[in-house]
Amino acid sequence: MQQIGTKQIETERLILRKYKVTDAEDMFVNWASSPAVTRFLTWPPYRRASDVRLYIKSRITEYEHKDCYDWVIEWKENHQVIGSISVISVQEMTQSASVGYCLGEAYWGKGIMTEALKAVVRFLFTEVGFKRIKATHDVRNTASGRVMEKCGLQYEGTLRQAGFANQGVCDVVVRSILKKDYQP
C-alpha cells in the first residue's frame, strides 16, 4: 500500500477534488445547512456559511498528510459543489479504509453518490492499494445502504445501538468490499 493523498478524480458527470475556501457558500447552501442531509450524520446542520468556511480551512490543512483522502463532489453540469466523500479512517495493519459521504438533497436519486463511491473505491484499490473498504450507515438510512450495494459493498452485519446520529443512538449496518472481490 502506498499512501498518495487526495488526487483529483473525474467521472462522466463529476469532479472529485480537494476543498477550496471558495466552496463554502455551495457547501452551506447545497448540503451542510440541511436538516434532511444531516439527519443520519453525527454533526448538526451549520447555521452560518462563515462556520463552513472555518471547517473547510481545517480540512485543507489535512491535505499535507499523505493518508488524507477527502474530496468535494463537483457537479460538472453547473460547477457547483454538491456533496463530499472521504476516507474517515485508515487501518494500516489491515490495509483497510472506512468511507463516509453526504450529498445535497436536490441531487438525491440521480445516481450521483453511486458514481462518486465507485470512483473512490476504484482509486483506493488500484492507486493506493487498500485491501478492504468499509462503510456504515444508520439502519434507517436505506438509501445509503442501496448506494453501497450498487458499489459492491456486501452486508456484514448490524451492530445494535452502536452508533449515534442527529436522531440519537441507532443501529449501524456494516458493509464492505475486498480488493479480491472488486470488479471495475
Side-chain angles (χ1 to χ4, degrees):
M1 191 167 81
Q2 180 182 348
Q3 301 288 8
I4 59 174
T6 306
K7 304 292 181 198
Q8 184 166 303
I9 303 170
E10 283 200 44
T11 69
E12 182 181 333
R13 303 178 295 166
L14 310 173
I15 299 170
L16 308 182
R17 60 167 175 78
K18 293 179 179 180
Y19 281 93
K20 301 177 199 170
V21 175
T22 55
D23 295 327
E25 190 62 33
D26 280 355
M27 181 177 169
F28 179 75
V29 170
N30 288 329
W31 81 91
S33 64
S34 169
V37 171
T38 59
R39 187 167 112 198
F40 298 115
L41 301 178
T42 58
W43 47 271
Y46 281 85
R47 294 184 179 182
R48 293 179 299 279
S50 60
D51 291 336
V52 172
R53 196 170 297 105
L54 290 173
Y55 168 78
I56 289 173
K57 286 179 180 178
S58 75
R59 296 308 308 148
I60 289 171
T61 64
E62 293 299 313
Y63 290 130
E64 297 171 15
H65 304 285
K66 291 295 183 191
D67 64 348
C68 173
Y69 302 97
D70 193 9
W71 298 269
V72 290
I73 302 168
E74 182 179 318
W75 183 238
K76 285 182 178 178
E77 189 174 296
N78 62 12
H79 299 288
Q80 283 195 21
V81 173
I82 61 170
S84 66
I85 186 166
S86 62
V87 171
I88 53 177
S89 71
V90 171
Q91 299 298 320
E92 289 279 344
M93 299 263 316
T94 58
Q95 298 179 336
S96 63
S98 296
V99 179
Y101 49 79
C102 57
L103 184 68
E105 188 176 7
Y107 297 90
W108 291 355
K110 301 176 191 304
I112 292 168
M113 192 50 72
T114 299
E115 187 174 328
L117 182 56
K118 281 182 178 179
V120 167
V121 167
R122 182 178 59 249
F123 172 82
L124 294 175
F125 280 151
T126 64
E127 294 192 39
V128 183
F130 282 102
K131 303 285 188 224
R132 181 177 191 271
I133 298 169
K134 176 184 88 170
T136 62
H137 65 87
D138 183 318
V139 72
R140 296 166 292 190
N141 190 353
T142 56
S144 188
R146 283 192 304 275
V147 167
M148 294 173 198
E149 287 172 359
K150 290 176 190 175
C151 295
L153 280 76
Q154 297 177 20
Y155 176 79
E156 291 189 340
T158 300
L159 306 177
R160 297 178 304 144
Q161 303 294 288
F164 185 85
N166 287 319
Q167 294 185 342
V169 175
C170 61
D171 292 350
V172 176
V173 175
V174 180
R175 299 179 189 273
S176 74
I177 184 169
L178 302 178
K179 187 173 185 176
K180 68 181 183 109
D181 299 328
Y182 171 68
Q183 296 179 15

